[in-house]
Structure formats: structure tokens, C-alpha cells
Amino acid sequence: MVRFENVIKRFGDNEVCRELSFTVAPGEFVTLIGPSGSGKTTILRLLMTLERVTSGLIEVGGEPLSHMPRGKGLVPADEKHLRKVRKRIGMVFQQFNLFPNMDVLRNVTEAPVHVLGESRDAAEAHAMALLEMVGLADRAREHPTRLSGGQQQRVAIARALAMRPDVLLLDEVTSALDPELVAGVLALLRKIASTTDITFLCVTHEMGFAREVSDRVMMFDAGRVVEEGTPDVLFTDPGHERTRAFLHAVLDRR
Amino acid sequence: MDAWKWDLFFGSFPYVARGLLVTLKITLFGSLLAYALGLLFAVLLRARIPVAHQLLRGFIEAIRSTPVLVQVFVLFWLMPQATGIKLDAETTGVLALGVHYACYTADVYRAGIDAVPAGQWEAATALSLPRSRVWLGVVLPQAVPRVVPALGNYTISMFKEVPLLLAIGVLDVLNRAKEFGADNYRVIEAYTMAGLVFLALSYPASILVRRLERRVAHP
């Protein structure tokens, strides 16, 4: 579903992704772990087209994302191409980023109506079903600023799902939440991961969650994949010293 | 100099009031133009279209670097010769003040747009919202309410600058006062009345703007 081929991303002199190549299968739940600055979030941002690759190729669902075909070859994607391909991808952010000028329902229906061309009635029915699933149907007419962080993040998840994405990117979605609100959001994600065939790429520091839901965990350091494997193997018997040190540090902290 | 004449002071009021209607009309339409055009400028500048961006920046700098009275003269005397389009004095005033102030409100809007967090743009991108919806649905509804007080300040400023249109014969507050003074061979009472009329409107308006500012700062 997702393929990175020799992807390099530089910010100035800082090389954040160093010739990254990996694939993610349809329906797979992949968690990216590693110290901050190791390039995990950049991978999500590249996939969401919030950043452009410096070189290399990204494909989603067999279609080039970072590039577009022209003649026989590929050229860097223009805005029009990006607009088309990014519809298959959704993202949930650390800071929720709900639109404060719209009520909860409108946050969820805005894109289906204006991007997918759904009728407002259909979009609202779908949105209410999603809000029901995230446990916030009764808050549909409230403004996001009146909700707790955990509730806002659940609305953000519903908003992303309303676009029926093939790929959902989770960028430290519980990092900004008060500790007592984390469990509810993780439980929701667990439910979604097990009941849909969405492909997930998840950046998190919640190792317990990662271990439980991931099909595969990739350990990053300094823009490279240090090692990857099933959570059982990676968390219990990491092969790499860097992974051991990282896991030791994060698990110690709590 | 003769003593202050109250009858001339009060007698000037109907004239000044008639001028006030013209002043308010020019301020209203001039402000609307400045609000709309400034918003358009701000959005165009943000879009960073090559060439158009530089041209617009240059235009804004040129307008801001020259006195509005010079622009009034250009519109009123030069434009008819150059293009054959002749506008009446009031329309010229609306256009000159509106365009002049648009070059300032553009910056006001820009600040408001810059204050919308990057996360809002990113969320809009992540939802694939089309450009028009990003602006109309997400960015402007957040940016514009914040800048309303600043826009109000420019309207007050503009209101006080209408008298310079006297130079092209607009019968505003000051021109009416002058006319009344000329008829009575004394201008001091009428000019005082004109000044008080400006004060009576500008001062409460700026208090209102300050209140709005506080409301926007602490919603």
C-alpha cells in the first residue's frame, strides 16, 4: 500500500531521511518508534504531502505520490497531482487541529461535502455514525474548544475516517493529552484498527499500545531504519544495541 | 478681532451637518473598498504567484510612499487626460481613499492570516480541502474576526482624512464650514463646529474599537 524507495529528505544541511526504503502492506499496522529527530514524523508528513521529498520516490496504492508520470518518466508532483492522490490518505495530529470556527459535526462533514461531493445529508448521517462510534454523538453541535483534549482527538479521528482513507497516519496522537485521557483514545484506535482494513502508520511513544496493535514495528535512528520486526520480537529481544538503549530509556521513564 | 459669535457657531451647524452626510458616505464606501481590496491583496500576496506578487508589492509600496492628496490629484486631473475616464469628485475620493487604505489593511489581514496556526493549514491539507474552502471555510473565518478592531482604526483615520478632498471640491464637513464662513466673513466659529463634529464622532468610535480590541484579545 505504501512504498518508500531511496527517499532522502533534507532540511537545509540536516538530512532527516537517509535513503529510506520500505513497504507497508495493505491493512498492515506499522508503528514507527525511535528518539525524537530520528525522522519518524517526517515520514508521516512526507506521506501526507505536507513536505516534499528531496529525492527518491513514494508510492501509495501503486501510484506515485511524490512524483507523477510524464512521458516515459516521472517528474516531481505538482499541486494538482498531490490533490488527487492525497485523498486516499488521512492524518491525525498531535495537536488535534480541529477547526475552531466550526462545530463538531461540521468539522467531520466539511471534507466529505467539499472534496468527495457527498450531499450534506449523507455526509451528516455518516458523520453522526462516526461520532457515535467515537462516543461523541451528543456533542455534535458543540464547538471543539468546549471539548477536552481527549474528546477533541476523538473528533479528529472521526474527521479523518469520514474521508474513508486507505491509509491513516497517526502522529503522536496521545502526546498532548492528559494522562487520564490517553486510554480512551488508544482504545478507540485499537477498535478501528481491528474492525477496518485501513493501513496504519503510527508514530507513538506508547509502547504498550504499539506492542498490542502493531503488526510490525520499525525502529528509527538518525533517519535510518535500525531494525524492524514483529512487536513481540522487537520489544522482548531487540537485535540492535540502539533499540535496546531506546526501549530502556522510554520504558524506564514511566 | 471681534468677540466669539455664538449665533455663527450654532448657525453653522446645519451646513456642517449636510457636509457630514457626504463625509460619512465617503468614509463608508471608502472603508468597504479598503476592506475588500485589502483582503484581496493579502490573499494574492500569500498565494505567491510569480511576477504578480512583485507587481502588487511594488504597487502597495508606491501607494504607501506617496501622499494620499497626490493620489487624489492623479485620479482627478491626470486620469481623465490619460484614459478619458472622468469621475466626479466624491467617487474620486472614495476610490483614492479606498485604494490608499487597502494598502494598509492588506498588512492587517496578513497579520491575521499569519496568526492562524500552521496546524490549521495542515489539517486542511490532510483533508484535501480545495484552496477556496481552505480560505473561505477555515482560514478567513479565523483570521478576519481578529483584525476587525484594526480595520476599525483605519476607518476612523479615513474619516478624518476626508477633508483633504476639499482640494477637489468635495462638499464635506470642512468645505461646508468654509463656505458658511465665507458667506459670513468669519470662519472661526464654523471651523470650530467642524472640529467638534469630528471629535464627537471619532472619539466614541475609538473607544468602541478599543473595547472590541479587548474582546478579541480575551474572548
Side-chain angles (χ1 to χ4, degrees):
Chain A
M1 178 57 71
V2 173
R3 198 164 77 86
F4 274 55
E5 190 185 295
N6 297 325
V7 170
I8 296 177
K9 174 64 185 176
R10 271 189 221 106
F11 294 106
D13 288 339
N14 184 16
E15 197 164 272
V16 200
C17 297
R18 302 188 171 171
E19 291 212 35
L20 271 177
S21 297
F22 64 87
T23 57
V24 178
E28 199 177 8
F29 195 114
V30 174
T31 300
L32 319 180
I33 63 170
S36 49
S38 60
K40 310 161 300 207
T41 290
T42 304
I43 289 166
L44 301 193
R45 293 177 60 85
L46 285 168
L47 264 170
M48 196 63 259
T49 71
L50 298 173
E51 308 282 356
R52 305 278 190 109
V53 296
T54 306
S55 74
L57 176 70
I58 300 175
E59 281 182 356
V60 170
E63 270 188 285
L65 176 90
S66 57
H67 292 68
M68 57 185 183
R70 176 168 300 163
K72 278 183 194 163
L74 289 171
V75 294
D78 62 12
E79 188 55 34
K80 205 172 134 211
H81 176 78
L82 291 178
R83 200 158 299 186
K84 198 178 68 171
V85 290
R86 73 161 71 100
K87 279 184 212 169
R88 317 181 59 171
I89 307 166
M91 185 161 180
V92 182
F93 298 87
Q94 182 176 354
Q95 297 294 341
F96 334 130
N97 297 346
L98 292 178
F99 303 130
N101 56 309
M102 304 176 192
D103 66 17
V104 164
L105 186 64
R106 188 68 189 262
N107 263 278
V108 182
T109 57
E110 184 73 3
V113 169
H114 293 289
V115 180
L116 302 181
E118 289 181 20
S119 72
R120 191 158 289 282
D121 285 349
E124 285 189 357
H126 185 207
M128 284 312 292
L130 288 167
L131 288 173
E132 188 77 49
M133 183 190 64
V134 304
L136 289 166
D138 55 331
R139 312 301 287 274
R141 283 299 172 193
E142 283 194 52
H143 276 260
T145 43
R146 307 211 22 182
L147 304 183
S148 73
Q151 291 170 327
Q152 290 192 44
Q153 195 59 296
R154 276 142 65 194
V155 173
I157 292 166
R159 179 173 75 170
L161 290 176
M163 286 294 284
R164 307 171 204 270
D166 296 328
V167 179
L168 191 56
L169 311 173
L170 307 174
D171 185 16
E172 302 199 27
V173 296
T174 57
S175 300
L177 298 180
D178 292 336
E180 72 270 22
L181 303 175
V182 170
V185 170
L186 293 182
L188 172 64
L189 290 172
R190 221 174 275 134
K191 184 166 81 178
I192 296 165
S194 61
T195 55
T196 66
D197 49 11
I198 297 173
T199 306
F200 283 88
L201 274 83
C202 171
V203 171
T204 185
H205 292 116
E206 295 290 334
M207 293 303 152
F209 171 73
R211 185 167 185 169
E212 200 185 325
V213 299
S214 308
D215 298 309
R216 182 156 51 115
V217 179
M218 297 169 79
M219 166 72 195
F220 283 80
D221 191 34
R224 287 202 180 84
V225 183
V226 176
E227 72 175 297
E228 57 179 308
T230 60
D232 280 344
V233 172
L234 200 116
F235 284 122
T236 51
D237 186 22
H240 203 282
E241 178 48 40
R242 196 70 199 82
T243 315
R244 259 194 295 270
F246 172 74
L247 288 175
H248 193 73
V250 282
L251 295 174
D252 238 23
R253 222 173 32 200
R254 37 197 69 232
Chain B
M1 186 145 185
D2 295 338
W4 176 264
K5 292 193 170 148
W6 284 109
D7 58 326
L8 287 183
F9 176 70
F10 291 113
S12 70
F13 183 74
Y15 288 78
V16 168
R18 254 168 72 199
L20 182 61
L21 288 180
V22 173
T23 300
L24 288 176
K25 194 170 78 186
I26 291 174
T27 307
L28 174 70
F29 290 117
S31 291
L32 290 179
L33 182 60
Y35 296 167
L37 205 56
L39 182 57
L40 184 70
F41 287 174
V43 173
L44 284 177
L45 286 174
R46 179 87 191 200
R48 302 208 159 271
I49 305 158
V51 189
H53 182 89
Q54 279 81 358
L55 284 176
L56 184 54
R57 265 267 67 108
F59 175 78
I60 289 175
E61 284 312 317
I63 294 285
R64 289 169 67 143
S65 313
T66 49
V68 68
L69 187 57
V70 172
Q71 293 153 21
V72 169
F73 283 159
V74 166
L75 276 179
F76 199 67
W77 303 113
L78 243 56
M79 197 180 73
Q81 288 182 22
T83 64
I85 303 167
K86 175 104 180 85
L87 301 174
D88 66 67
E90 284 181 21
T91 312
T92 302
V94 167
L95 200 60
L97 288 170
V99 171
H100 186 85
Y101 277 87
C103 295
Y104 290 93
T105 56
D107 258 350
V108 169
Y109 285 116
R110 185 184 52 75
I113 291 165
D114 287 350
V116 174
Q120 294 288 309
W121 294 89
E122 293 181 352
T125 303
L127 290 168
S128 303
L129 290 180
R131 206 121 281 274
S132 60
R133 282 318 297 169
V134 178
W135 280 109
L136 296 174
V138 178
V139 175
L140 293 181
Q142 295 182 56
V144 172
R146 278 179 242 205
V147 303
V148 166
L151 295 178
N153 274 327
Y154 279 116
T155 291
I156 296 172
S157 250
M158 187 189 292
F159 173 63
K160 292 180 298 177
E161 284 211 64
V162 173
L164 60 81
L165 299 177
L166 184 148
I168 55 169
V170 170
L171 290 169
D172 77 314
V173 170
L174 194 65
N175 213 358
R176 287 288 186 191
K178 183 177 160 225
E179 206 181 54
F180 180 83
D183 289 348
N184 295 281
Y185 308 104
R186 264 178 78 97
V187 289
I188 192 83
E189 287 84 1
Y191 280 169
T192 305
M193 175 58 84
L196 286 176
V197 163
F198 276 107
L199 183 67
L201 284 167
S202 294
Y203 188 51
S206 46
I207 290 173
L208 186 77
V209 166
R210 230 171 298 153
R211 276 217 194 126
L212 270 178
E213 266 166 359
R214 245 173 285 149
R215 264 248 300 273
V216 171
H218 314 281

